[in-house]
Amino acid sequence: MLRYIGLGKRKKSTRVHKTGCARTEGFYKLDVKEKIQHAESVTPHSTNLEDANKAKNIAQSNREIRSNQRRLLTAFGETEVMSDLFKFNQLKFRRKHLKFARSRIHNWGLFALEPIAADEMVIEYVGQKVRQVIGDVREEKYTKMGIGSSYLFRLDHDTVIDATTMGNFSRFINHSCNPNCYAKVITVEGQKKIVIYSKQQINVNEEITYDYKFPLEDDKIPCLCYTPQCRRYLN
C-alpha cells in the first residue's frame, strides 16, 4: 500500500490503513521516528558523496593554484613578496597582543603582551594618507602646537601617513638607536602599506621600538633611548 506524504515522494508505508487506502484518510501527523525515516529516504547518499567529491576537487584545485603561484614567484625571484602577503593576511586575522603604557623613553610606548619571534609582522602603521605638500603644512602646524612631526611617516615620494589624530597603537612606538623592530613598505592589492617587523625575539612586556630615521637638520631633537648606541639626537 502507498500513502501520500505531501512532498512528491512515495515510500512503503509502515502503517496499516483502516480504509485500505492512504488517499482516503487524508494527511496525518508523522511522529519523530517516521520523520527521521522519511528524511533518510529523500536524501540519497549519492548526493552526499557527490558534494563531498566536489568540495575535495575544489580544495585540490585551490592548492594547485597556490602551488603554481609560488613556483612562478620563485622563478621571478619574488618569494619575499609572497611571504609578505602571507604574513600580512595572518596579521589581519590574528593580531599580535600589544598594549600602550608609560615608557621610560618618552611618554607613552607600545609593549608586547606575547612573545614575538624575529622577522614577524608586528603591526601596520595606520593613519590618514595625505600628499607631501599637505604633510609639510601639517608639520608646521604640529610644531607650533608642540606636537612635532613624530606621527608623520613618509610612505613614498608623494605620500605621507599622518597618524597624529587618527590611527592605531602603532603611533605609540618610540624611537630607539638600537631598536628591536624596523619599518618596511609593502604593496598589498595595489596599495602601499607601512608594516612594522620584528628584528629579533621580543619578550613579553618588552617595549617595541624602531629607528625613526629622521633627516639631518640644524634644529636637533634630543634622543632619550639611552642605549649604548644612542646617537643623542633623532635628527
Side-chain angles (χ1 to χ4, degrees):
M1 304 295 290
L2 296 175
R3 65 178 175 84
Y4 183 62
I5 59 175
L7 292 174
K9 300 288 183 179
R10 297 192 176 201
K11 60 176 284 187
K12 291 183 178 180
S13 174
T14 56
R15 296 189 178 187
V16 177
H17 301 288
K18 297 178 180 180
T19 61
C21 179
R23 293 179 183 273
T24 62
E25 297 183 12
F27 292 95
Y28 47 78
K29 186 176 181 180
L30 298 177
D31 59 29
V32 175
K33 184 177 180 180
E34 287 177 312
K35 287 181 179 179
I36 294 174
Q37 291 176 345
H38 169 65
E40 292 176 348
S41 68
V42 298
T43 308
H45 294 292
S46 59
T47 302
N48 293 335
L49 290 174
E50 289 174 2
D51 291 341
N53 289 333
K54 185 177 180 181
K56 183 178 179 180
N57 291 335
I58 292 174
Q60 178 66 26
S61 177
N62 290 338
R63 283 195 295 269
E64 291 176 357
I65 291 172
R66 290 194 295 269
S67 178
N68 290 334
Q69 287 177 336
R70 284 194 293 269
R71 281 197 293 269
L72 287 172
L73 289 169
T74 302
F76 287 100
E78 297 182 8
T79 51
E80 185 177 356
V81 174
M82 187 67 178
S83 176
D84 285 340
L85 294 177
F86 178 72
K87 289 178 181 178
F88 189 79
N89 286 332
Q90 283 187 318
L91 185 65
K92 285 197 301 184
F93 294 105
R94 200 286 186 194
R95 297 180 181 179
K96 295 288 189 295
H97 292 148
L98 310 169
K99 71 173 181 179
F100 69 93
R102 287 293 181 181
S103 167
R104 66 172 184 81
I105 297 176
H106 179 71
N107 288 340
W108 298 96
L110 189 65
F111 296 82
L113 288 178
E114 63 175 288
I116 300 175
D119 197 34
E120 285 204 7
M121 286 186 179
V122 178
I123 190 172
E124 179 188 358
Y125 194 90
V126 177
Q128 184 180 15
K129 289 185 180 180
V130 297
R131 291 177 295 138
Q132 178 63 54
V133 291
I134 302 298
D136 294 338
V137 172
R138 291 188 178 187
E139 183 177 3
E140 292 182 6
K141 175 184 175 183
Y142 296 151
T143 301
K144 292 179 180 178
M145 296 170 61
I147 298 175
S149 58
S150 298
Y151 301 122
L152 295 172
F153 205 127
R154 182 185 296 277
L155 183 62
D156 54 33
H157 180 71
D158 301 315
T159 311
V160 173
I161 293 182
D162 183 3
T164 306
T165 58
M166 62 176 61
N168 59 2
F169 284 176
S170 63
R171 68 197 191 109
F172 293 107
I173 302 178
N174 280 315
H175 163 87
S176 175
C177 297
N178 184 28
N180 52 22
C181 291
Y182 64 95
K184 181 179 179 181
V185 177
I186 66 173
T187 301
V188 179
E189 297 178 352
Q191 299 291 323
K192 289 183 178 179
K193 298 179 180 294
I194 298 174
V195 178
I196 308 302
Y197 280 79
S198 55
K199 289 179 60 177
Q200 60 205 42
Q201 171 76 29
I202 300 176
N203 299 319
V204 176
N205 292 324
E206 184 177 349
E207 183 170 3
I208 293 167
T209 58
Y210 67 89
D211 191 338
Y212 285 4
K213 295 185 178 180
F214 282 171
L216 296 177
E217 296 178 353
D218 293 332
D219 189 8
K220 296 298 183 182
I221 303 174
C223 177
L224 304 174
C225 70
Y226 299 114
T227 61
Q229 298 81 7
C230 183
R231 301 189 296 268
R232 296 180 60 197
Y233 300 103
L234 273 69
N235 57 349

